[in-house]
C-alpha cells in the first residue's frame, strides 16, 4: 500500500513538473523571450524618443548654422578676451531662477538686445527643459553673448577653484537654429558632467601638471581614477597624448587639421581633436543624439563609451524625453 501511494505521489510530482514547465515556456501564456535587461529597455525607450524628435525636427545632428566643429569652447580658454568682449548680460541663478542681470555696458553693439529679458529667459528655459533638474544644480550663473554667426556657440567655466559652481554661456544669435542650440546645450552639459567636483580633485601637485601621471589632469584639477574623463583618457588618448601636446594641436589650426586627417577614424568631428575634454563632450553629444553604433571605428567606440555606465544610459533617455518636450513647443 505504501509503495502504491509513493508511486502515485511521485507520478503526481512528475506531472506537475511537466505541466509547470509547459506553462513557463508556452508561447502566449508568458513571454517566451529572454527578459531584457533594464539598460536595454532604457536604451530602446531613449531611441523611441529620438525617433519622435527626428519626425518633428529632422536629424538633430544636421543643422545649418554652425557645425559640430564649433560646439563649445575648451575650458582653459574660457577666460579669453573674445568672451569678455562679446558678453551681453550675465545673470545669477538661484533655485533655477534668473536674477540680478548685469549688462556689459562695454558691449555697445548689443545694447538693445541686452534689455530683452524675455529672450534671455527663453534661452535659459530651454536649458532647464532639456537638462534634468538634478543635473544642473551646479550652474550658478548664466551669460548671454554673441560673437557673430557660427563662431563660439557656447561655453562653461567654473566660478570657483574647486569646481563646485559653474557659469553657462550661450550665443543668442546661434540659438536661432534650434538644432544648433540643442546640440550646444547638450555638448556644454558634457563638460559639466565630466569636469565637476565629483570627477576632479583640485588639490594636486601643480609641479607635476605637465607630466600627466597615471590619471588625466585638467587645468583645474586631476581626475579621479574611476571618473568618466580618466577612463575615457586611458582608453582613447593615452597613446598619442604626448604627440598631441608636442604638435601644439590645441592652439595651432594647421596642426589640428593635420592631426584630424591622420586620425580621422578616431574622432566624431574635427573639433574633437582640439582637446581631450572637447573630444569627450563631442562623443557625449553624439551618444545622446544618435543610436548605438557598431564599434567598427574608434570614433564609434567613443560614442558607445557611455553605454557602460547605467546611470548615463538613464540620463540619455531622460534628456531625449525632455528634448522631445522642447521640440514640440516649436
Amino acid at each position: 500500500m505504501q509503495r502504491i501511494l509513493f508511486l502515485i505521489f511521485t507520478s503526481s510530482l512528475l506531472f506537475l513538473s511537466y505541466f509547470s514547465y509547459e506553462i513557463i515556456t508556452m508561447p502566449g501564456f508568458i513571454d517566451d523571450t529572454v527578459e531584457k535587461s533594464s539598460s536595454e529597455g532604457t536604451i530602446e525607450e531613449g531611441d523611441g524618443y529620438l525617433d519622435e524628435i527626428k519626425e518633428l525636427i529632422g536629424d538633430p545632428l544636421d543643422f545649418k548654422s554652425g557645425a559640430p566643429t564649433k560646439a563649445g569652447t575648451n575650458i582653459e580658454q574660457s577666460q579669453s578676451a573674445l568672451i569678455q568682449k562679446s558678453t551681453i548680460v550675465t545673470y545669477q541663478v538661484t533655485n533655477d531662477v534668473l536674477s540680478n542681470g548685469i549688462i556689459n555696458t562695454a558691449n555697445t553693439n548689443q545694447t538693445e538686445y541686452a534689455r530683452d529679458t524675455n529672450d534671455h529667459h527663453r534661452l535659459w528655459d530651454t536649458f532647464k527643459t532639456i537638462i534634468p533638474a538634478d543635473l544642473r544644480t551646479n550652474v550658478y550663473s548664466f551669460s548671454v553673448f554673441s560673437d557673430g554667426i557660427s563662431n563660439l556657440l557656447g561655453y562653461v567655466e567654473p566660478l570657483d577653484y574647486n569646481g563646485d559652481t559653474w557659469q553657462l554661456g550661450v550665443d543668442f544669435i546661434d540659438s536661432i537654429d534650434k538644432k544648433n542650440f540643442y546640440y550646444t546645450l547638450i555638448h556644454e552639459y558634457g563638460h559639466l558632467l565630466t569636469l565637476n567636483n565629483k570627477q576632479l580633485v583640485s588639490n594636486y601637485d601643480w609641479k607635476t601638471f605637465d607630466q600627466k601621471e597615471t590619471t588625466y589632469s585638467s587645468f583645474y584639477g586631476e581626475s579621479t581614477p574611476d571618473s568618466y574623463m580618466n577612463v575615457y583618457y586611458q582608453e582613447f588618448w593615452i597613446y598619442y597624448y604626448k604627440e598631441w601636446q608636442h604638435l601644439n594641436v590645441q592652439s595651432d589650426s594647421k596642426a589640428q587639421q593635420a592631426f584630424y586627417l591622420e586620425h580621422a577614424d578616431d574622432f566624431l568631428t574635427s573639433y574633437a581633436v582640439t582637446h581631450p575634454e572637447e573630444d569627450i563632450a563631442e562623443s557625449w553629444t553624439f551618444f545622446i543624439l544618435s543610436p548605438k553604433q557598431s564599434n567598427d571605428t574608434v570614433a564609434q567606440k567613443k560614442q558607445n563609451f557611455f553605454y557602460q555606465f547605467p546611470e548615463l544610459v538613464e540620463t540619455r533617455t531622460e534628456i531625449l524625453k525632455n528634448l522631445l518636450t522642447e521640440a514640440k513647443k516649436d
Side-chain angles (χ1 to χ4, degrees), residues 8-297:
I8 293 172
F9 178 73
T10 305
S11 299
S12 298
L13 286 177
L14 290 172
F15 174 77
L16 288 172
S17 297
Y18 176 79
F19 183 69
S20 298
Y21 176 77
E22 287 300 305
I23 289 176
I24 292 172
T25 60
M26 186 181 297
F29 196 96
I30 293 178
D31 191 356
D32 59 344
T33 59
V34 178
E35 186 179 355
K36 296 177 181 176
S37 69
S38 58
S39 288
E40 288 176 331
T42 305
I43 291 170
E44 287 190 2
E45 182 183 354
D47 288 344
Y49 294 135
L50 181 60
D51 289 340
E52 290 188 66
I53 291 168
K54 288 181 177 179
E55 290 179 4
L56 288 173
I57 66 173
D59 186 350
L61 293 175
D62 179 21
F63 44 85
K64 297 177 182 178
S65 64
T69 56
K70 292 291 185 180
T73 178
N74 180 270
I75 198 165
E76 285 87 344
Q77 300 171 335
S78 61
Q79 295 285 356
S80 68
L82 175 63
I83 292 177
Q84 297 289 340
K85 181 179 179 180
S86 60
T87 295
I88 299 169
V89 59
T90 301
Y91 290 91
Q92 178 181 330
V93 178
T94 306
N95 296 325
D96 265 349
V97 177
L98 301 185
S99 62
N100 301 328
I102 299 175
I103 295 176
N104 178 16
T105 55
N107 188 348
T108 56
N109 295 327
Q110 302 292 348
T111 302
E112 183 176 352
Y113 181 76
R115 295 180 173 82
D116 190 355
T117 56
N118 288 335
D119 199 58
H120 307 161
H121 283 79
R122 177 188 64 83
L123 298 174
W124 171 250
D125 287 343
T126 301
F127 178 71
K128 281 174 52 179
T129 299
I130 295 174
I131 305 302
D134 59 327
L135 302 181
R136 58 175 191 268
T137 55
N138 57 351
V139 179
Y140 277 61
S141 179
F142 178 66
S143 177
V144 182
F145 72 95
S146 184
D147 59 351
I149 298 175
S150 302
N151 291 311
L152 183 63
L153 307 187
Y155 67 89
V156 290
E157 63 177 357
L159 297 173
D160 61 88
Y161 182 74
N162 293 321
D164 295 329
T165 59
W166 291 73
Q167 180 178 79
L168 167 69
V170 297
D171 188 317
F172 83 93
I173 290 181
D174 288 317
S175 72
I176 294 172
D177 184 332
K178 294 293 185 181
K179 288 190 285 186
N180 186 336
F181 190 40
Y182 300 154
Y183 187 105
T184 300
L185 293 178
I186 294 171
H187 173 103
E188 296 308 329
Y189 175 71
H191 288 308
L192 296 177
L193 173 73
T194 55
L195 298 173
N196 63 65
N197 61 344
K198 295 180 181 179
Q199 298 285 310
L200 297 177
V201 178
S202 60
N203 57 341
Y204 68 102
D205 187 358
W206 281 90
K207 295 179 181 179
T208 62
F209 173 72
D210 290 327
Q211 296 177 16
K212 305 296 177 190
E213 308 95 339
T214 56
T215 58
Y216 173 76
S217 294
S218 162
F219 180 76
Y220 290 98
E222 185 176 4
S223 58
T224 58
D226 294 332
S227 65
Y228 304 131
M229 187 70 241
N230 184 60
V231 176
Y232 189 91
Y233 168 77
Q234 299 294 337
E235 184 171 351
F236 300 117
W237 272 84
I238 197 169
Y239 304 105
Y240 46 54
Y241 187 71
K242 288 187 177 180
E243 174 195 359
W244 177 86
Q245 285 182 308
H246 177 73
L247 295 173
N248 193 28
V249 176
Q250 179 178 355
S251 303
D252 189 330
S253 59
K254 290 184 179 179
Q256 290 172 13
Q257 184 179 14
F259 194 84
Y260 176 70
L261 291 175
E262 183 179 355
H263 304 282
D265 289 340
D266 291 5
F267 296 93
L268 289 158
T269 68
S270 58
Y271 181 68
V273 306
T274 60
H275 203 277
E277 294 165 20
E278 296 303 336
D279 185 33
I280 195 173
E282 290 285 77
S283 297
W284 162 260
T285 311
F286 273 68
F287 161 71
I288 298 293
L289 296 177
S290 57
K292 196 172 186 178
Q293 301 299 296
S294 59
N295 275 344
D296 292 334
T297 65

